[in-house]
Every structure is written in C-alpha cells, then in structure tokens.
Amino acid sequence: MPPAAFALALGAAFLHALWNLLLAKERDPEPATAIAICASVLVFAPVAAVFWDVDSQVWPYLVATSALQLAYFALLASAYRYAELSFVYPVARGLAPVLVLLVGAAFLGVGASASQAVGVCAVGLGVLLVRGISRERDLVGGVLALTIATTIAGYTLVDKSGIRFASPVVYLELGMAPVALSALLLVAALPSGRARLRAAMRPTPALAGVISFVAYVLVLAALRRAPAASVAAVRETSVLIVAALAAPMLGERVGPARLVGAALVVAGIALVVL
C-alpha cells in the first residue's frame, strides 16, 4: 500500500470517528443525519464546480453508490437510536473490510495474499473485541450493524471502480446530492418530520456533515492509489479513536477487551499494508 494512500485512509479514519461521535450525541438522529448530509452537499457544491471532471461512464456507478449511501445513512441513524455507538460502530466498521476482501477475491478477480487475508480478518476480530463479544447483545442493534457493514462493503467496491471516471470531490458531490434530497423527503414524511428537521438545523449536525464529506473524499483519493481491501482496513482504525473518545464524550467504559481488540487492529493493519 503506497504511503500516500495510507496517510489518506488514516486521515479519513480520524474524521470518520469524529462525525459519528457528533451524530451519536444527537437526541433525534434521523433529522440530524438528514441535515448533516444536506450541509455537506451545499458546502462542497462550489468546490465540485471548480474541480469539475466527469466521464460519462461514471453514471451507473453514481446510481449504485447513491442507493447504497442512502441505505447506509438511514440504517446508521436508526442504529444510533436503538443501540450504543460502541456496539454498532465496531461491528459495522469491522466486518466491512472483511466483506470487501471476500467479494473482491471471489467475484471481481482482485488478488489477495495470505497475509492480507489474515490482516483483514484480524482487523474484523479486533474491532469486535474493542466492544467485547462476551456481553449480552441487543438483537435490533446487531441486525442493523450487520446490514450497515454490507452497505459499507457495497459502496466501497462500487466506488473503487467508479472513482476512475470523476475527481473525488465531484464524484462524491454527485453521489450524495440525491441522498440529501431523499433524506429530507423521508424525514419530512415522518410524524412531526418538518418540525424535527427545523430543530435539527444547528451547527453540530452541519459540522458533522462537512466532516463526513471530507473524510470520504480522502477515502476516494486513497482508493485511486491502493486496493479497496487495504483502504477499507486502514480506515477502520477509526474504531480505536471511537473507543478512546466514547468515554469522555458519551460516558462509555473502555475495558480489557477493547485493549486486546486494539492490538489486533494494529497487527491486522500492519499485515495488510506491508
């Protein structure tokens, strides 16, 4: 994995952890998530216009990534309502790179070495241990987390191919614009949806949206330089950041299982990128 791609993916991990922590603190996550997406699209529209670079072959990928991103954000908002961040985040983010590697190797002809396979699996196991697999689990939260992992793997694989036909900022802007509109319409259709959207129009959700956009631009830039499985694995270091900040920001505990999980994540990433 080239050093530039590693640095981009690692920077994305820090930003990804931050915007998830911000949204997890929101009392009403669905409208907050919709506002976050809309803010990101509005803020970066002028940037996309300046750096406009699109090939006509990009459109099928944009349709696919928009659908997957909408499902991802809808599931994420629901998960943060029904389950703890320290459970949903590690399961969803940890299983995603494993799925990326398996699908890439099985169906897309992407080669994977034995050490890379072991490394990605170690990352997946490590992020699960960060939460602690021996505790009792919430069924709804678990199902949501597993489904989120599937959407993450899906749009990562789609974007790995689609990013060849547009610059990162433009690609993400075009992919997220339909998501923003759909999210607004879906939340507005909920009970008291418009009032909830007005209440969510605050700096914190908007900031979370801008940070999420920057984080994924870094991911797309990394995908141009390295295999999808490697990028997906490195960005899962965000789990360590969430584990460290969940205590001061959300009042959650960090136990021995999280320390063992952190060590596995670091070891797994080393196997993937070396």
PDB file of all heavy atoms in Angstrom, residues 232-251:
ATOM      1  N   ALA A 232     -10.038  -0.022   3.033  1.00  0.00           N
ATOM      2  CA  ALA A 232     -11.105  -0.285   3.991  1.00  0.00           C
ATOM      3  C   ALA A 232     -10.549  -0.698   5.342  1.00  0.00           C
ATOM      4  O   ALA A 232     -11.085  -0.321   6.391  1.00  0.00           O
ATOM      5  CB  ALA A 232     -12.027  -1.380   3.447  1.00  0.00           C
ATOM      6  N   ALA A 233      -9.469  -1.470   5.344  1.00  0.00           N
ATOM      7  CA  ALA A 233      -8.887  -1.921   6.602  1.00  0.00           C
ATOM      8  C   ALA A 233      -8.249  -0.776   7.377  1.00  0.00           C
ATOM      9  O   ALA A 233      -8.450  -0.634   8.587  1.00  0.00           O
ATOM     10  CB  ALA A 233      -7.854  -3.010   6.333  1.00  0.00           C
ATOM     11  N   VAL A 234      -7.464   0.060   6.692  1.00  0.00           N
ATOM     12  CA  VAL A 234      -6.781   1.157   7.377  1.00  0.00           C
ATOM     13  C   VAL A 234      -7.771   2.147   7.964  1.00  0.00           C
ATOM     14  O   VAL A 234      -7.602   2.626   9.092  1.00  0.00           O
ATOM     15  CB  VAL A 234      -5.806   1.879   6.420  1.00  0.00           C
ATOM     16  CG1 VAL A 234      -5.231   3.130   7.079  1.00  0.00           C
ATOM     17  CG2 VAL A 234      -4.689   0.944   6.000  1.00  0.00           C
ATOM     18  N   ARG A 235      -8.843   2.446   7.249  1.00  0.00           N
ATOM     19  CA  ARG A 235      -9.789   3.427   7.766  1.00  0.00           C
ATOM     20  C   ARG A 235     -10.550   2.906   8.980  1.00  0.00           C
ATOM     21  O   ARG A 235     -11.159   3.687   9.718  1.00  0.00           O
ATOM     22  CB  ARG A 235     -10.761   3.890   6.672  1.00  0.00           C
ATOM     23  CG  ARG A 235     -11.616   2.819   6.079  1.00  0.00           C
ATOM     24  CD  ARG A 235     -12.362   3.331   4.871  1.00  0.00           C
ATOM     25  NE  ARG A 235     -13.355   4.328   5.211  1.00  0.00           N
ATOM     26  CZ  ARG A 235     -14.581   4.355   4.698  1.00  0.00           C
ATOM     27  NH1 ARG A 235     -14.941   3.451   3.811  1.00  0.00           N
ATOM     28  NH2 ARG A 235     -15.426   5.279   5.035  1.00  0.00           N
ATOM     29  N   GLU A 236     -10.498   1.582   9.231  1.00  0.00           N
ATOM     30  CA  GLU A 236     -11.172   1.050  10.408  1.00  0.00           C
ATOM     31  C   GLU A 236     -10.423   1.341  11.705  1.00  0.00           C
ATOM     32  O   GLU A 236     -10.875   0.988  12.781  1.00  0.00           O
ATOM     33  CB  GLU A 236     -11.397  -0.454  10.265  1.00  0.00           C
ATOM     34  CG  GLU A 236     -12.208  -0.866   9.060  1.00  0.00           C
ATOM     35  CD  GLU A 236     -13.354   0.056   8.729  1.00  0.00           C
ATOM     36  OE1 GLU A 236     -14.063   0.493   9.652  1.00  0.00           O
ATOM     37  OE2 GLU A 236     -13.537   0.367   7.541  1.00  0.00           O
ATOM     38  N   THR A 237      -9.253   1.985  11.606  1.00  0.00           N
ATOM     39  CA  THR A 237      -8.601   2.462  12.826  1.00  0.00           C
ATOM     40  C   THR A 237      -9.462   3.510  13.524  1.00  0.00           C
ATOM     41  O   THR A 237      -9.211   3.852  14.682  1.00  0.00           O
ATOM     42  CB  THR A 237      -7.220   3.067  12.515  1.00  0.00           C
ATOM     43  OG1 THR A 237      -7.358   4.073  11.507  1.00  0.00           O
ATOM     44  CG2 THR A 237      -6.267   1.996  12.029  1.00  0.00           C
ATOM     45  N   SER A 238     -10.478   4.000  12.833  1.00  0.00           N
ATOM     46  CA  SER A 238     -11.426   4.913  13.468  1.00  0.00           C
ATOM     47  C   SER A 238     -12.088   4.268  14.682  1.00  0.00           C
ATOM     48  O   SER A 238     -12.521   4.957  15.611  1.00  0.00           O
ATOM     49  CB  SER A 238     -12.496   5.359  12.477  1.00  0.00           C
ATOM     50  OG  SER A 238     -13.201   4.242  11.960  1.00  0.00           O
ATOM     51  N   VAL A 239     -12.145   2.942  14.699  1.00  0.00           N
ATOM     52  CA  VAL A 239     -12.713   2.233  15.843  1.00  0.00           C
ATOM     53  C   VAL A 239     -11.909   2.517  17.105  1.00  0.00           C
ATOM     54  O   VAL A 239     -12.461   2.668  18.195  1.00  0.00           O
ATOM     55  CB  VAL A 239     -12.768   0.717  15.563  1.00  0.00           C
ATOM     56  CG1 VAL A 239     -13.191  -0.065  16.797  1.00  0.00           C
ATOM     57  CG2 VAL A 239     -13.711   0.444  14.404  1.00  0.00           C
ATOM     58  N   LEU A 240     -10.579   2.598  16.959  1.00  0.00           N
ATOM     59  CA  LEU A 240      -9.732   2.896  18.112  1.00  0.00           C
ATOM     60  C   LEU A 240     -10.002   4.304  18.626  1.00  0.00           C
ATOM     61  O   LEU A 240     -10.003   4.556  19.837  1.00  0.00           O
ATOM     62  CB  LEU A 240      -8.259   2.757  17.726  1.00  0.00           C
ATOM     63  CG  LEU A 240      -7.824   1.407  17.162  1.00  0.00           C
ATOM     64  CD1 LEU A 240      -6.342   1.436  16.826  1.00  0.00           C
ATOM     65  CD2 LEU A 240      -8.122   0.293  18.133  1.00  0.00           C
ATOM     66  N   ILE A 241     -10.215   5.208  17.708  1.00  0.00           N
ATOM     67  CA  ILE A 241     -10.487   6.595  18.097  1.00  0.00           C
ATOM     68  C   ILE A 241     -11.828   6.686  18.800  1.00  0.00           C
ATOM     69  O   ILE A 241     -11.974   7.377  19.815  1.00  0.00           O
ATOM     70  CB  ILE A 241     -10.453   7.510  16.849  1.00  0.00           C
ATOM     71  CG1 ILE A 241      -9.113   7.358  16.129  1.00  0.00           C
ATOM     72  CG2 ILE A 241     -10.689   8.960  17.239  1.00  0.00           C
ATOM     73  CD1 ILE A 241      -9.102   7.911  14.733  1.00  0.00           C
ATOM     74  N   VAL A 242     -12.823   5.979  18.270  1.00  0.00           N
ATOM     75  CA  VAL A 242     -14.127   5.947  18.934  1.00  0.00           C
ATOM     76  C   VAL A 242     -14.010   5.357  20.325  1.00  0.00           C
ATOM     77  O   VAL A 242     -14.602   5.853  21.285  1.00  0.00           O
ATOM     78  CB  VAL A 242     -15.137   5.147  18.084  1.00  0.00           C
ATOM     79  CG1 VAL A 242     -16.377   4.798  18.895  1.00  0.00           C
ATOM     80  CG2 VAL A 242     -15.535   5.941  16.845  1.00  0.00           C
ATOM     81  N   ALA A 243     -13.224   4.289  20.463  1.00  0.00           N
ATOM     82  CA  ALA A 243     -13.051   3.668  21.770  1.00  0.00           C
ATOM     83  C   ALA A 243     -12.418   4.643  22.766  1.00  0.00           C
ATOM     84  O   ALA A 243     -12.783   4.675  23.948  1.00  0.00           O
ATOM     85  CB  ALA A 243     -12.188   2.416  21.646  1.00  0.00           C
ATOM     86  N   ALA A 244     -11.472   5.444  22.272  1.00  0.00           N
ATOM     87  CA  ALA A 244     -10.801   6.392  23.160  1.00  0.00           C
ATOM     88  C   ALA A 244     -11.692   7.566  23.540  1.00  0.00           C
ATOM     89  O   ALA A 244     -11.631   8.061  24.669  1.00  0.00           O
ATOM     90  CB  ALA A 244      -9.527   6.903  22.499  1.00  0.00           C
ATOM     91  N   LEU A 245     -12.540   8.022  22.609  1.00  0.00           N
ATOM     92  CA  LEU A 245     -13.351   9.212  22.861  1.00  0.00           C
ATOM     93  C   LEU A 245     -14.759   8.904  23.356  1.00  0.00           C
ATOM     94  O   LEU A 245     -15.460   9.808  23.799  1.00  0.00           O
ATOM     95  CB  LEU A 245     -13.445  10.043  21.574  1.00  0.00           C
ATOM     96  CG  LEU A 245     -12.129  10.609  21.042  1.00  0.00           C
ATOM     97  CD1 LEU A 245     -12.369  11.425  19.788  1.00  0.00           C
ATOM     98  CD2 LEU A 245     -11.446  11.464  22.099  1.00  0.00           C
ATOM     99  N   ALA A 246     -15.173   7.631  23.269  1.00  0.00           N
ATOM    100  CA  ALA A 246     -16.518   7.281  23.723  1.00  0.00           C
ATOM    101  C   ALA A 246     -16.688   7.530  25.212  1.00  0.00           C
ATOM    102  O   ALA A 246     -17.769   7.897  25.670  1.00  0.00           O
ATOM    103  CB  ALA A 246     -16.827   5.823  23.402  1.00  0.00           C
ATOM    104  N   ALA A 247     -15.619   7.331  25.981  1.00  0.00           N
ATOM    105  CA  ALA A 247     -15.710   7.553  27.432  1.00  0.00           C
ATOM    106  C   ALA A 247     -15.924   9.030  27.767  1.00  0.00           C
ATOM    107  O   ALA A 247     -16.905   9.372  28.441  1.00  0.00           O
ATOM    108  CB  ALA A 247     -14.472   7.000  28.125  1.00  0.00           C
ATOM    109  N   PRO A 248     -15.050   9.951  27.306  1.00  0.00           N
ATOM    110  CA  PRO A 248     -15.268  11.354  27.666  1.00  0.00           C
ATOM    111  C   PRO A 248     -16.482  11.997  27.002  1.00  0.00           C
ATOM    112  O   PRO A 248     -17.104  12.887  27.577  1.00  0.00           O
ATOM    113  CB  PRO A 248     -13.972  12.051  27.223  1.00  0.00           C
ATOM    114  CG  PRO A 248     -13.400  11.165  26.177  1.00  0.00           C
ATOM    115  CD  PRO A 248     -13.783   9.773  26.572  1.00  0.00           C
ATOM    116  N   MET A 249     -16.826  11.555  25.790  1.00  0.00           N
ATOM    117  CA  MET A 249     -17.915  12.200  25.064  1.00  0.00           C
ATOM    118  C   MET A 249     -19.278  11.555  25.312  1.00  0.00           C
ATOM    119  O   MET A 249     -20.294  12.240  25.324  1.00  0.00           O
ATOM    120  CB  MET A 249     -17.619  12.207  23.555  1.00  0.00           C
ATOM    121  CG  MET A 249     -16.467  13.107  23.161  1.00  0.00           C
ATOM    122  SD  MET A 249     -16.219  13.210  21.362  1.00  0.00           S
ATOM    123  CE  MET A 249     -17.724  14.046  20.844  1.00  0.00           C
ATOM    124  N   LEU A 250     -19.280  10.224  25.504  1.00  0.00           N
ATOM    125  CA  LEU A 250     -20.556   9.508  25.622  1.00  0.00           C
ATOM    126  C   LEU A 250     -20.705   8.748  26.937  1.00  0.00           C
ATOM    127  O   LEU A 250     -21.715   8.081  27.149  1.00  0.00           O
ATOM    128  CB  LEU A 250     -20.725   8.527  24.450  1.00  0.00           C
ATOM    129  CG  LEU A 250     -20.644   9.136  23.049  1.00  0.00           C
ATOM    130  CD1 LEU A 250     -20.718   8.034  21.992  1.00  0.00           C
ATOM    131  CD2 LEU A 250     -21.743  10.156  22.829  1.00  0.00           C
ATOM    132  N   GLY A 251     -19.690   8.805  27.799  1.00  0.00           N
ATOM    133  CA  GLY A 251     -19.776   8.147  29.095  1.00  0.00           C
ATOM    134  C   GLY A 251     -19.660   6.642  29.048  1.00  0.00           C
ATOM    135  O   GLY A 251     -20.148   5.947  29.948  1.00  0.00           O
TER     136      GLY A 251
END
